[in-house]
Amino acid sequence: MGRPLRLFNSLGRRTEDFAPAGDTVGIYTCGPTVYAYPHLGNMRAYVFADTLRRALRWKGLPTRQIINITDVGHAVAELELGDDKLEVAAARERKSVEEVAEHYTQAFFADLAALNILPADEYPRATACVDQMIDFAAELERRGFAYTIESGLYFDTSKSVDYGRLALINTEGQREGARVEQVEGRRNKTDFALWRTETPGQMRAMRWKSPWGWGAPGWHLECSVMSIALLGSHFDIHTGGIDHRQLHHVNEIAQSEAYLGDARPWVRYWLHNEFLQFGAQKMAKSAGGTIRVADLSSAGIHPLAYRLFLSGGHYRAQLDYTHEAIESAQSSLRRLMARAEPLRPLPPIQTYAQAVDSAHGDQATIDALNQFDAAISNDLGTPQLLAHLHESLRSDGLSADGRRAVLSSAESLLGIGLDRIASDGLAGTQALLADDLTARVTDLVAEREAARAARDWPRADQLRAQLERLGVQVTDTPQGPTWRAN
């Protein structure tokens, strides 16, 4: 297996040797809420989880991964406020909620394929598991962990041992300063809905009958129910975006450990990827400025150039998306393909043991493979792995067979298409800005021009700097300013 695989566990904020509980590593990855197209920031979580699976496979550890599909409407996830996203999307698109959910589910699957993400073992739909969610919530109520108020059934966080330990917060600090809905009858501000009943006089498009009235399950419930049903009461790894670490996963742990009642940690390893930054903020549907995988292809950028771009940064580090960065990744991918093409077909390598066997005792090849193993074993160090890959391919010490082994091993871990993409298909790109970011840039350019006309030079300089942070270069001409994405 080579070196021990060390992973940063958010539960305790420390890097630990990974040791599976059984013969197969159980992994649960929080899936999409399918009310809109996934954007590049969303997809970072699945590239990260796929890299984790590839690293485990490299170590000779079989995996079973579950990714849920949230096709049940919920309120705004972070604070349980606002309108139901699926129902709003259905009204906007003049479709049923089921049609909207299925359309965006298929879009998600298409993006997974485009990014060369290994298929999960199962993709359970939340709508297929509502009866189990009701049973789960009823058991929590029976054991005294939940209480009923007019708006539904709520989990009592005061009865949860070490509530908030994943987020390293106490209940007094939870959501401090956030705009939290005042729920009539809620005992603690951290208590969360297990079941939300309909508002009197308002019938939801998606509704189920429950002991607490007609309504829908709370946001956190489905992940606990589906993961336990498909992976067992306890499993090895839970993954998701860093935004889930402070609330969603905290509440998953609380309700799951209360339900299981065996005084054991529900999940031992919690892994979270950081945000993709777009300008000065994270790429998010609510913030505007989103880009889809399909937008990359339309701009002449291969989706796997985006995957290479992500691999160039550590999964726990924020990454800044700019046109310059993605174009650089495209160029790097083209150079790698040019080196790989003459050596194809590559040998079928998935594990470290297979890689070493393929070296046939050649020490230069084994040294290169050990560098790969050291990088991936150090909390999925893909930036270091890429650096070693480039270094190995520039070396005169590797034979053609050694290069094949190196390329195949890198492909097994990185999934960037080294075994199949043609370099001549990676020739050109064009500037890429999302429509809503284009409008934002246009407004900033106009505001800067107004500041210049008013001779407010500090404000004009400030706006130019803001545009540069967005990857936009402004040129002043006698006819007025022009701009382009860098």
Side-chain angles (χ1 to χ4, degrees):
M1 289 179 60
R3 296 168 181 253
L5 177 61
R6 292 179 57 77
L7 300 171
F8 183 84
N9 191 349
S10 292
L11 192 61
R13 304 292 198 278
R14 59 181 178 268
T15 303
E16 305 174 11
D17 286 355
F18 174 73
D23 295 333
T24 299
V25 179
I27 305 171
Y28 187 84
T29 298
C30 281
T33 301
V34 285
Y35 69 95
Y37 289 112
H39 56 67
L40 297 185
N42 299 140
M43 297 311 297
R44 185 181 190 188
Y46 306 104
V47 172
F48 149 62
D50 185 62
T51 304
L52 171 64
R53 282 185 66 194
R54 289 170 180 271
L56 291 165
R57 183 179 66 178
W58 174 257
K59 296 296 183 180
L61 298 171
T63 62
R64 174 170 168 77
Q65 184 190 30
I66 306 301
I67 300 178
N68 66 300
I69 303 294
T70 301
D71 59 350
V72 171
H74 296 305
V76 174
E78 290 78 7
L79 300 176
E80 301 180 18
L81 293 170
D83 296 321
D84 184 293
K85 293 181 177 182
L86 267 171
E87 293 189 14
V88 169
R92 181 183 66 243
E93 299 181 24
R94 298 182 180 180
K95 297 178 181 177
S96 69
V97 287
E98 293 81 8
E99 289 172 328
V100 167
E102 184 59 25
H103 175 77
Y104 291 118
T105 297
Q106 295 306 316
F108 172 65
F109 288 153
D111 286 355
L112 292 178
L115 291 169
N116 199 24
I117 292 171
L118 300 171
D121 293 275
E122 293 192 50
Y123 297 94
R125 264 73 162 181
T127 49
C129 303
V130 175
D131 287 345
Q132 295 96 310
M133 295 183 214
I134 292 173
D135 291 342
F136 188 105
E139 179 64 15
L140 289 174
E141 183 181 34
R142 187 187 71 80
R143 296 186 187 182
F145 286 99
Y147 59 93
T148 304
I149 56 178
E150 184 178 357
S151 57
L153 180 70
Y154 279 75
F155 185 90
D156 188 343
T157 56
S158 70
K159 297 186 177 181
S160 174
V161 177
D162 294 331
Y163 178 79
R165 68 183 184 277
L166 175 67
L168 296 184
I169 54 173
N170 56 37
T171 55
E172 289 304 311
Q174 176 83 354
R175 306 191 211 171
E176 201 64 49
R179 181 176 63 92
V180 181
E181 183 182 27
Q182 296 300 313
V183 179
E184 185 68 31
R186 183 163 59 177
R187 297 173 183 174
N188 311 289
K189 66 180 178 180
T190 52
D191 292 355
F192 55 91
L194 296 167
W195 188 267
R196 294 176 296 107
T197 54
E198 292 177 335
T199 302
Q202 295 183 358
M203 184 180 294
R204 295 170 51 93
M206 302 185 80
R207 61 199 297 266
W208 291 265
K209 190 174 183 179
S210 80
W212 314 284
W214 286 92
W219 173 42
H220 314 293
L221 191 58
E222 66 178 272
C223 289
S224 292
V225 170
M226 290 190 284
S227 62
I228 289 173
L230 296 172
L231 293 172
S233 297
H234 299 273
F235 53 94
D236 293 297
I237 300 174
H238 197 312
T239 74
I242 194 71
D243 50 332
H244 289 337
R245 189 183 67 187
Q246 299 306 109
L247 181 61
H248 178 44
H249 289 168
V250 166
N251 291 343
E252 278 189 56
I253 290 172
Q255 66 193 11
S256 298
E257 294 186 353
Y259 175 83
L260 294 170
D262 57 10
R264 293 172 53 197
W266 173 44
V267 178
R268 293 182 302 140
Y269 299 90
W270 291 82
L271 275 64
H272 297 93
N273 64 278
E274 259 289 358
F275 292 130
L276 179 70
Q277 296 290 114
F278 195 42
Q281 57 193 343
K282 73 171 183 177
M283 187 177 286
K285 298 180 185 76
S286 59
T290 60
I291 295 176
R292 296 172 49 202
V293 172
D295 295 329
L296 295 177
S297 299
S298 298
I301 299 168
H302 199 287
L304 293 185
Y306 174 63
R307 180 161 185 153
L308 180 64
F309 161 73
L310 292 180
S311 297
H314 194 267
Y315 77 91
R316 288 195 292 114
Q318 290 186 357
L319 277 179
D320 292 324
Y321 180 94
T322 65
H323 178 70
E324 182 179 37
I326 199 68
E327 192 172 50
S328 175
Q330 175 101 333
S331 297
S332 180
L333 186 63
R334 183 169 60 247
R335 290 192 296 272
L336 286 171
M337 296 311 161
R339 290 181 177 273
E341 281 177 293
L343 297 168
R344 293 172 184 163
L346 302 180
I349 293 173
Q350 293 186 345
T351 69
Y352 173 76
Q354 291 171 343
V356 172
D357 286 346
S358 71
H360 302 296
D362 180 71
Q363 193 57 49
T365 303
I366 293 173
D367 289 345
L369 296 173
N370 282 335
Q371 287 182 320
F372 287 6
D373 185 62
I376 205 68
S377 298
N378 184 18
D379 194 27
L380 311 182
T382 54
Q384 293 76 23
L385 198 159
L386 275 172
H388 293 318
L389 173 61
H390 287 292
E391 181 182 359
S392 297
L393 294 177
R394 288 194 299 266
S395 171
D396 295 329
L398 285 180
S399 65
D401 285 343
R403 291 173 188 272
R404 289 187 181 94
V406 164
L407 285 163
S408 184
S409 298
E411 174 58 24
S412 177
L413 290 166
L414 297 173
I416 54 176
L418 294 171
D419 55 345
R420 56 187 172 85
I421 296 177
S423 59
D424 59 8
L426 300 166
T429 66
Q430 61 190 51
L432 177 66
L433 288 176
D435 290 343
D436 40 8
L437 182 60
T438 301
R440 182 179 170 200
V441 168
T442 301
D443 290 344
L444 288 171
V445 171
E447 186 179 349
R448 177 177 175 273
E449 186 65 8
R452 283 167 51 83
R455 306 183 71 81
D456 186 352
W457 307 118
R459 177 59 178 161
D461 290 343
Q462 182 183 50
L463 289 164
R464 177 188 280 276
Q466 187 174 350
L467 287 160
E468 287 175 350
R469 287 194 297 272
L470 291 172
V472 174
Q473 179 180 334
V474 180
T475 302
D476 296 309
T477 72
Q479 292 75 36
T482 63
W483 63 270
R484 65 181 180 86
N486 291 326

